[in-house]
Amino acid sequence: MSERTIRPSGGNPYPLGLRLAGRRVVVVGGGAVATRRVPALLDAGADVLLVAPELTPALRAHADAGRLHWEPRRFVPADLDGAWLVQVAVDDPAAAAAVSAAAAERRIFCVRADDRAAATAWTPAVTRHGPVTVAVLGGGDPRRAMTVRDAVRDLLGARQGPLLTSPVLEEGPPVDTAGRVALVGAGPGDPELITVKGWRLLTEADVVVADRLVPGLLLDELRSDVELVDASKIPYGPSRAQEEINRILVDRARAGKFVVRLKGGDPYVFGRGGEELLACAEAGVPVTVVPGVTSAVAVPAVAGVPVTHRAVAHEFTVVSGHVAPDSPASLVRWEALAGLRGTLVVLMGLKNLPAISATLVAHGRPADTPVAVVQEGTTSGQRTLRSTLGAVAADVVEAGIHPPAIVVIGDVVGALDV
Ligand code: SAH
C-alpha cells in the first residue's frame, strides 16, 4: 500500500456550510430520523423531496402544508436527478445501500443514518445563536459531538460568556452604524423567563432602557460599557414622563446606537409598548418587538393556578385595575365582567380591590368565588394569598400584600389542589 492510496473512509472530515436555499435535497424515509432531519433542511430553504411510502404525522403536516414534495412510494434512482444532497433515513440496510450507490454514481453527497462508515457526508450536532451556527463533528461518534455541542451551547448561552459580549455575535456587519430600537419583554420576574431572542438582543445592546419591574439580575449582567437608563415608573410614585422615554429611545437610535427597551412581562400588556413603537416609527427609527412571558398568565401559573382548565374555565380575561370602577376614566365594563363565568386576571388591582370586588359581587359574581392574590410572582419574594371574592379586599390588607401583585378570580383557583 503506497502512502498515496486513497482511503475513502479515512481522513478528517472537511467542514462546509451548505447553502441549500432553492436547491433540491432528497430525503429517503419517512420515520423518526427523517422527522428530525427535515426541519433544518426546510429552515435552510432547501427544496425537499421526501421519498417514503408512509410518513410520521409531523412529516405529513409538512407535506400537507406544501413545505416539501412527497413521493409516497419507495426510492428509485431517478429521484436523485437534480439533487445536491441526499439524506438516507431508512432502517433497511439494502435499501439504504441502493440509495448510496445511486448517489455515488451521480457524485451527490449522501448522509446515512444507518451506517456512518458508508456515508459520504456526516451531519454535525448544531447549536444556533442568532446569525452564528456552531456545528460539531465527533469523529464518527454522534454522542461525543452532542456533548461538545452542549458545552459550546452552554458557553454561548451563559450569562457572562465572554463570546456573547464580543462583536462577533452581533447581527449585521460591525461597521453598520444605523441605530435601531427593540422593545423586549423581560418576562415576569425570574431572569430565566426572558426569551432566548430577548436575551440575545440584550447582550447586543449599546443602550438599555429598563423599567422597575424588569428583573434586576438581567441588568447585573450587562457589559460595563452599556448605557443603562432607569425608566422607573413606580405606580403612584415618581415617574419619568413617557415622552421623555420616547425621546431617549429616538435620540440614542439616531446616534447610531442599538437600544433595547426592556419591559416587564410582555411589552404590549399594559406596558405602553405601543406608544413607544409609534414614537420610533414616527421618527423613522427602525423598531422591532420581542414578545415576553406576561405576568398575567405566568404568575398565576407559578402559584398553582392555571388560567384555563378543562371543564372549569374556557376563557380568561385580563383587565387593568388601575382605574377605579366608578371613575369616568374607566374603559372597563365591570358589570359585564361580573356576568362572566371564566377566569378574571386583574393587574395593578390592589389599590382598587375593595371597589373592584364589591362591584363584581354587586353585579352577580358570587361572593364565594375563589380568589388568589400573588405578590412578586416567579421571584424569591413570591407570596400567595387564597381568599374569596367577598373577603379578599380585607384579607389583602391584613396579610400586608403589596404591589406588584396579580389577582386571579374564578374556579380555576383551587382546580389543581390535590
Ligand atoms: N407588561 C407587564 C405588565 C405591566 S403592568 C406584563 O406583561 O406582565 C404591571 C402589573 O403587572 C403589576 O402591577 C402587577 O399587577 C403585574 N405584575 C407584573 N409582574 C408581576 C409579578 N412578578 N408578580 C405579580 N404581579 C406582577
Side-chain angles (χ1 to χ4, degrees):
M1 240 199 189
S2 88
E3 282 192 6
R4 297 180 56 116
T5 303
I6 296 169
R7 295 174 300 137
S9 58
N12 276 322
Y14 182 79
L16 281 177
L18 298 185
R19 303 178 63 216
L20 295 176
R23 304 204 160 102
R24 171 57 56 92
V25 175
V26 178
V27 177
V28 183
V33 174
T35 304
R36 280 174 29 215
R37 296 274 189 245
V38 159
L41 293 170
L42 294 177
D43 183 62
D47 165 25
V48 174
L49 170 65
L50 190 53
V51 185
E54 283 168 43
L55 300 184
T56 62
L59 288 172
R60 187 65 195 250
H62 288 306
D64 289 347
R67 290 188 282 263
L68 49 76
H69 308 281
W70 175 34
E71 288 291 348
R73 54 167 172 73
R74 294 177 68 85
F75 171 81
V76 295
D79 288 332
L80 297 187
D81 291 348
W84 295 66
L85 179 70
V86 56
Q87 298 235 7
V88 186
V90 293
D91 292 333
D92 174 4
V99 182
S100 264
E105 257 172 45
R106 291 164 174 78
R107 301 291 188 265
I108 300 169
F109 279 105
C110 178
V111 180
R112 278 183 63 170
D114 66 309
D115 184 350
R116 296 178 60 80
T120 52
W122 292 338
T123 46
V126 168
T127 175
R128 293 183 170 86
H129 299 261
V132 172
T133 299
V134 180
V136 179
L137 291 167
D141 179 349
R143 273 172 315 176
R144 185 195 293 149
M146 280 190 267
T147 304
V148 174
R149 186 271 319 270
D150 289 347
V152 174
R153 180 175 54 197
D154 289 351
L155 180 67
L156 290 175
R159 288 281 148 84
Q160 276 139 347
L163 283 171
L164 262 187
T165 61
S166 130
V168 294
L169 282 185
E170 282 176 20
E171 229 159 346
V175 290
D176 184 2
T177 54
R180 62 193 171 110
V181 172
L183 305 177
V184 175
D190 178 345
E192 289 196 305
L193 288 176
I194 190 171
T195 65
V196 173
K197 185 168 189 171
W199 171 249
R200 178 169 67 80
L201 294 187
L202 194 57
T203 63
E204 294 173 3
D206 301 310
V207 181
V208 174
V209 183
D211 279 343
R212 191 184 69 98
L213 278 182
V214 158
L217 280 180
L218 289 176
L219 305 178
D220 268 5
E221 298 171 20
L222 294 177
R223 294 193 317 269
S224 53
D225 62 317
V226 171
E227 182 192 0
L228 180 59
V229 179
D230 183 353
S232 285
K233 291 186 294 175
I234 303 162
Y236 318 113
S239 69
R240 236 190 243 208
Q242 184 66 45
E243 297 78 64
E244 174 67 2
I245 295 170
N246 296 353
R247 191 188 61 76
I248 292 171
L249 299 180
V250 168
D251 283 1
R252 298 296 194 282
R254 281 187 172 152
K257 305 290 188 191
F258 175 35
V259 186
V260 165
R261 172 68 170 119
L262 194 61
K263 306 173 82 75
D266 180 274
Y268 286 169
V269 178
F270 309 131
R272 306 192 69 167
E275 292 164 60
E276 294 170 8
L277 182 116
L278 289 174
C280 292
E282 278 163 19
V285 167
V287 53
T288 54
V289 61
V290 179
V293 174
T294 180
S295 64
V297 176
V299 166
V302 294
V305 179
V307 290
T308 73
H309 194 63
R310 195 171 67 87
V312 176
H314 292 178
E315 90 230 12
F316 65 98
T317 307
V318 179
V319 53
S320 166
H322 184 61
V323 176
D326 59 357
S327 163
S330 176
L331 297 177
V332 180
R333 289 184 53 212
W334 290 97
E335 71 285 2
L337 294 183
L340 299 178
R341 293 191 42 168
T343 309
L344 206 51
V345 182
V346 185
L347 274 62
M348 300 180 280
L350 277 194
K351 195 187 89 173
N352 290 320
L353 195 53
I356 288 170
S357 51
T359 305
L360 290 172
V361 171
H363 290 90
R365 192 93 195 216
D368 62 356
T369 305
V371 176
V373 181
V374 190
Q375 171 189 315
E376 292 173 73
T378 79
T379 75
S380 55
Q382 179 174 320
R383 288 176 69 197
T384 304
L385 171 88
R386 289 282 191 91
S387 183
T388 61
L389 195 53
V392 68
D395 288 351
V396 156
V397 172
E398 190 182 323
I401 297 280
H402 60 74
I406 275 179
V407 182
V408 199
I409 301 162
D411 290 333
V412 289
V413 176
L416 298 188
D417 291 353
V418 281

